[in-house]
Amino acid sequence: MARNIRIVEVGPRDGLQNEKSSIPTAIKLSFIDALASAGLREIEATSFVSPKWVPQLGDAEQLWPALPPGPLYSALIPNAKGLARAIDLGVDRIALFTASSETFVQRNINMSIEQSLAVFADLIAEFRSRKPSGWIRGYVSTAFECPYEGWIDPRNTANVAKKLVDIGVDEVALGDTIGVAVPAEVAALTKIVTEAIPVDRIAYHFHDTRGTAIANVLQALELGVGCFDSSAGGLGGCPFAPGAGGNLATEDLVYFLERSGLPTKVDLYRLSQASLAIFEVLGRSPSAKSQLAQLSLSGTCPT
Ligand code: HMG
Ligand code: MG
């Protein structure tokens, strides 16, 4: 059972990339500031992708230099142009992203899996030479199922995860992009992946489309995985993955870990305030169950 748990807050990136309207940079910054004040230490703040593909995150150049001090921030990088933009701004934690489904990688970054790995090998060499103490995550999306190809053989996911480690990423994040997985599948995938790479190099990125994410976290924890992604209030989704729901809500993850005796150092009340403020801007309510329960107890539950 993993005990030193890391939470990577992906709301500002995974959450806001999927909103129909663009959120002003100042509002993103106050959201991130509130997340930092709640005690979140690792925050995926934005992406350096093509603004034609994801206009919602087209303000990375304005956002990054204004990020509040404290947390470790990372950003998604798809190609050499994205890396150059990030390095110019002093970004020292990057996340590269591919998948175990050819169709999804094609739709998401217009490359094949092999092309993406070849591009990433060059990006990693460049990044390591410019930022010797930098940190690199590699995502494997559609780790369980693809919205276009259906069920994915866990051996394919393990194979891509191993190739990412071989080319030099520090951590592999296995993405349940459309939120289909159940614990038995998490156990099977974790077993196969840990035959290829050490368990302390694995993170899980669960979308909670079908309400299975917390059960999946428990399963992964029991198998020694200690890093989980989540987003405040359950924001999240992927514009290139039809059917992707929000990420596991950070409130639900924090509640579950704390109540299980696994300290997070995250202040649940402040986190809820951060979520409520951003959801108010978005004009809807957070989906975090622990938060809804709290609001309902205090008589302020949104209808
Ligand atoms: P492309 O169209 O093949 O790229 O897109 P291109 O090289 O032909 O360039 C097209 C135009 O984009 C050019 O501009 C480039 O300069 C520009 P033009 O000459 O037409 O004016 N361009 C860029 N501009 C700024 N920054 C860049 C950049 N690259 C090209 N980095 C590309 C290829 C990879 C760029 C595109 O497919 C892309 O940006 N994809 C991003 C997709 C994305 O962000 N998806 C969501 C994140 S992944 C996710 O959510 C899953 C995850 O959460 C895990 C999980 O849930 O499983 C991580
Ligand atoms: Mg995601």
Side-chain angles (χ1 to χ4, degrees):
M1 175 93 166
R3 296 213 70 82
N4 293 321
I5 313 301
R6 287 169 44 221
I7 296 176
V8 180
E9 166 64 45
V10 296
R13 193 280 304 170
D14 204 328
L16 301 186
Q17 76 179 9
N18 203 43
E19 291 300 321
K20 290 200 172 47
S21 56
S22 275
I23 311 297
T25 310
I27 290 182
K28 292 181 184 175
L29 285 168
S30 60
F31 175 43
I32 292 171
D33 193 35
L35 295 170
S37 303
L40 287 155
R41 304 323 309 154
E42 294 185 49
I43 301 180
E44 199 171 78
T46 189
S47 298
F48 291 89
V49 298
S50 167
K52 289 182 182 149
W53 286 59
V54 185
Q56 296 89 332
L57 302 183
D59 61 349
E61 268 76 7
Q62 291 71 51
L63 183 97
W64 194 272
L67 288 170
L72 298 169
Y73 293 109
S74 59
L76 248 55
I77 307 289
N79 58 12
K81 184 159 191 180
L83 184 67
R85 289 172 59 207
I87 286 178
D88 283 350
L89 290 166
V91 176
D92 58 5
R93 295 172 73 83
I94 62 170
L96 309 170
F97 53 109
T98 186
S100 44
S101 143
E102 284 293 354
T103 316
F104 182 75
V105 182
Q106 202 68 51
R107 301 271 179 115
N108 199 33
I109 51 173
N110 207 13
M111 300 177 207
S112 68
I113 298 172
E114 283 308 318
Q115 277 173 328
S116 71
L117 293 166
V119 167
F120 295 170
D122 290 344
L123 299 186
I124 290 170
E126 168 73 3
F127 182 70
R128 295 279 185 221
S129 75
R130 304 284 296 273
K131 300 271 171 194
S133 61
W135 178 88
I136 306 175
R137 160 180 271 203
Y139 278 101
V140 187
S141 286
T142 61
F144 300 91
E145 190 165 311
C146 168
Y148 308 106
E149 292 184 12
W151 182 78
I152 297 289
D153 189 326
R155 287 171 297 188
N156 291 357
T157 300
N159 191 26
V160 178
K162 165 106 176 59
K163 286 183 177 172
L164 282 169
V165 170
D166 288 347
I167 61 172
V169 305
D170 296 302
E171 172 177 276
V172 173
L174 302 171
D176 185 11
T177 314
I178 52 173
V180 293
V182 296
E185 293 171 289
V186 173
L189 181 64
T190 309
K191 183 170 176 298
I192 294 176
V193 175
T194 50
E195 283 163 10
I197 64 175
V199 73
D200 61 6
R201 299 277 201 106
I202 300 173
Y204 266 111
H205 175 102
F206 292 119
H207 284 255
D208 202 18
T209 318
R210 292 165 180 79
T212 54
I214 279 291
N216 292 339
V217 168
L218 176 59
Q219 179 64 86
L221 272 174
E222 286 177 351
L223 294 172
V225 177
C227 181
F228 298 97
D229 294 2
S230 58
S231 73
L235 287 167
C238 176
F240 309 100
N247 291 94
L248 166 61
T250 311
E251 289 88 331
D252 291 341
L253 179 61
V254 168
Y255 175 84
F256 168 77
L257 292 172
E258 292 282 344
R259 192 117 174 158
S260 304
L262 297 166
T264 64
K265 298 199 174 101
V266 177
D267 181 323
L268 208 40
Y269 175 76
R270 287 188 174 203
L271 174 59
S272 295
Q273 296 305 303
S275 299
L276 286 174
I278 192 74
F279 274 89
E280 192 174 338
V281 172
L282 300 174
R284 51 180 214 274
S285 307
S287 61
K289 292 176 191 61
S290 62
Q291 186 173 45
L292 289 173
Q294 200 58 40
L295 290 171
S296 133
L297 282 177
S298 65
T300 53
C301 193
T303 49

